[in-house]
Amino acid sequence: MPVFQQPLAFLLVLCIPLLFLFRKLGIFSAPSFPLILKDWEGETFVWKSPVRKIASALSVLLFAAGFLCLVVSLAEPVRLQQEKIYTSRGTDIVFVLDTSPSMMARDIAGMSRLDAARQAIASLAPQTPGTGYGLVAMASEAALVVPPTMDRDEFFTRLTSLESGGLGDGTALGSGLSTAVYHLSGAAAPKKCIVLITDGENNSGAIHPETAAQLAKDKNITLYVLGLGTRGTVPLEYVDPATGKVYSGFIDSQFDSQSLEQIAAIGGGRYFGVESSGALAEALSLVASQEQTVMSFYLKTKEEALYHYFLFASVLCFVFTWLIRRWYLGVFL
C-alpha cells in the first residue's frame, strides 16, 4: 500500500467538479465560431453519430483520468519496504560441490545432478537469511570459487557459471574438504559447517578425506555429506569444456556409501543418501535448521518512489485525449 508524502495535493481533485460546474454555467467554455449554412427557418444541423458521442465521452474520461494521475504524482506516492539489517554474523556454510563429468548424469527429476544441486541450494537461500554462503568446486582438483559471503547475488552468479569437467574427471574429496576447512577456520561466524555434495567415492588427490574430516572437527566445523544420484544405468550428456566435444550415452552409477558415511561421522555431521530432488531439498533444509544460530538485527525502512509511474500514465491520458478531440472530433480542449 503506497504512502503519500504530500497528501494535500489531493485537494486539486476538486478542480474537476469545479471545471464542469463552470462550463455548465457558461464560464470557461470552449470558444466556438458559428458557421451559418442556411437562411431558411428549419431545424438546425445536429450530428447524431453514436461513434462520435462515444469518442467524446471517452475523451472526457481520459482527461479526468490524466488529471487524477497527475494529482497522485504530485502527492509523491512511495512504497515502504522493511529490510532486515543484521548486526551479528550467522552461520557460514561452504558447499563443496563435485563437478566431475559424472555429475552430468540426468537422473534427478530429469535434470543433471549438478543442476539439481544448484537448484536445491537456490531454494535453500530464502530459509537462511543472514547466513554466509561459500563455494568450493571439486573434481580431480579443488578450488575456492566464492569465500563465505553475505552477497547472495555474487554467490549464485558464480554457482550458475560453474562448469562440469573444468577441474578434471576424478573425485578428490580430501582436497575439496581441506580447501573448505582452510577458508572456514579463520571465519568469525559463531557456527561453521561444510556441505559436501558428491556422487562418487574418493579416487584422486593427495589428502585422504578422513584426514580432512578430522581436521574439520578439530576446527569446530561440522561436516555434512550428501551422496547424490540413483543406482543403475543412467543417461549422461556432457560437454568437454576444453574441446567443446559433446559426450552422450549411459553410465553405470554405483558407489559405496559406507566411505561417505564414515567421513560424515568423523566430521561430527550426518550422511544423506539422495536420489530425488525432493530428498535433496529436504536434506539441505535439515542441515540449515541444524546449523541455525540466533542473530541480532534491526529493521531499515526503504522508500521506493512511485510518482514517475503516475506521471507517465497522466501524459499518456492527455496525449490520447488530445488526439481524439483534435484529430477525430475536430475540437479544441
Side-chain angles (χ1 to χ4, degrees):
M1 186 70 179
V3 175
F4 300 95
Q5 295 183 328
Q6 304 293 337
L8 291 178
F10 283 107
L11 293 176
L12 295 173
V13 175
L14 297 176
C15 293
I16 295 179
L18 287 176
L19 176 61
F20 283 100
L21 177 62
F22 290 155
R23 285 202 169 183
K24 191 71 174 178
L25 297 175
I27 308 173
F28 299 150
S29 297
S32 60
F33 303 94
L35 178 62
I36 299 175
L37 300 177
K38 63 179 180 61
D39 57 2
W40 67 91
E41 294 185 6
E43 291 185 2
T44 57
F45 175 78
V46 178
W47 192 284
K48 296 183 179 180
S49 171
V51 177
R52 288 181 62 87
K53 290 182 179 179
I54 293 173
S56 180
L58 179 61
S59 69
V60 172
L61 290 176
L62 284 174
F63 180 81
F67 185 78
L68 286 175
C69 288
L70 180 60
V71 170
V72 173
S73 177
L74 292 174
E76 297 184 19
V78 295
R79 181 187 292 122
L80 301 180
Q81 294 179 327
Q82 288 190 327
E83 179 183 7
K84 285 184 178 180
I85 305 298
Y86 290 93
T87 57
S88 64
R89 291 288 298 269
T91 305
D92 276 353
I93 301 177
V94 172
F95 296 93
V96 179
L97 188 54
D98 190 348
T99 61
S100 60
S102 62
M103 286 290 286
M104 297 307 293
R106 295 182 173 274
D107 59 349
I108 306 295
M111 296 182 290
S112 70
R113 296 168 179 175
L114 183 58
D115 286 339
R118 280 195 275 241
Q119 185 181 86
I121 294 172
S123 67
L124 179 67
Q127 306 175 35
T128 55
T131 298
Y133 281 0
L135 179 64
V136 171
M138 176 268 300
S140 297
E141 301 176 358
L144 178 71
V145 180
V146 184
T149 177
M150 295 285 291
D151 188 345
R152 297 294 174 86
D153 290 338
E154 173 66 15
F155 174 82
F156 285 113
T157 297
R158 301 297 297 274
L159 176 64
T160 302
S161 63
L162 206 60
E163 292 184 343
S164 176
L167 294 172
D169 58 0
T171 306
L173 299 182
S175 298
L177 293 176
S178 59
T179 300
V181 171
Y182 176 79
H183 289 281
L184 271 176
S185 58
K191 277 190 174 184
K192 295 170 279 189
C193 77
I194 297 171
V195 179
L196 170 63
I197 304 177
T198 182
D199 68 346
E201 302 171 358
N202 183 70
N203 58 20
S204 186
I207 303 175
H208 197 282
E210 293 186 6
T211 302
Q214 184 62 51
L215 181 62
K217 185 176 182 180
D218 294 341
K219 297 291 184 179
N220 295 318
I221 302 171
T222 309
L223 172 60
Y224 297 90
V225 181
L226 277 64
L228 184 61
T230 59
R231 299 180 184 276
T233 303
V234 296
L236 178 142
E237 186 173 318
Y238 164 67
V239 180
D240 190 332
T243 64
K245 186 176 180 180
V246 178
Y247 296 90
S248 181
F250 294 86
I251 62 169
D252 185 21
S253 177
Q254 299 287 341
F255 68 91
D256 183 10
S257 63
Q258 184 176 357
S259 60
L260 298 180
E261 293 173 6
Q262 181 66 17
I263 295 169
I266 294 173
R270 178 179 170 183
Y271 170 78
F272 299 87
V274 176
E275 296 188 359
S276 67
S277 58
L280 178 56
E282 184 179 351
L284 288 179
S285 181
L286 182 59
V287 169
S289 64
Q290 290 287 335
E291 296 301 313
Q292 192 172 14
T293 184
V294 177
M295 293 173 288
S296 58
F297 64 89
Y298 66 91
L299 295 176
K300 179 182 178 181
T301 301
K302 295 175 61 178
E303 294 184 356
E304 180 188 358
L306 304 174
Y307 74 92
H308 49 281
Y309 297 112
F310 292 96
L311 185 59
F312 180 70
S314 175
V315 171
L316 282 181
C317 289
F318 286 143
V319 168
F320 281 114
T321 300
W322 182 80
L323 289 174
I324 292 173
R325 295 185 66 83
R326 182 68 181 90
W327 297 104
Y328 182 71
L329 297 176
V331 299
F332 294 96
L333 291 175

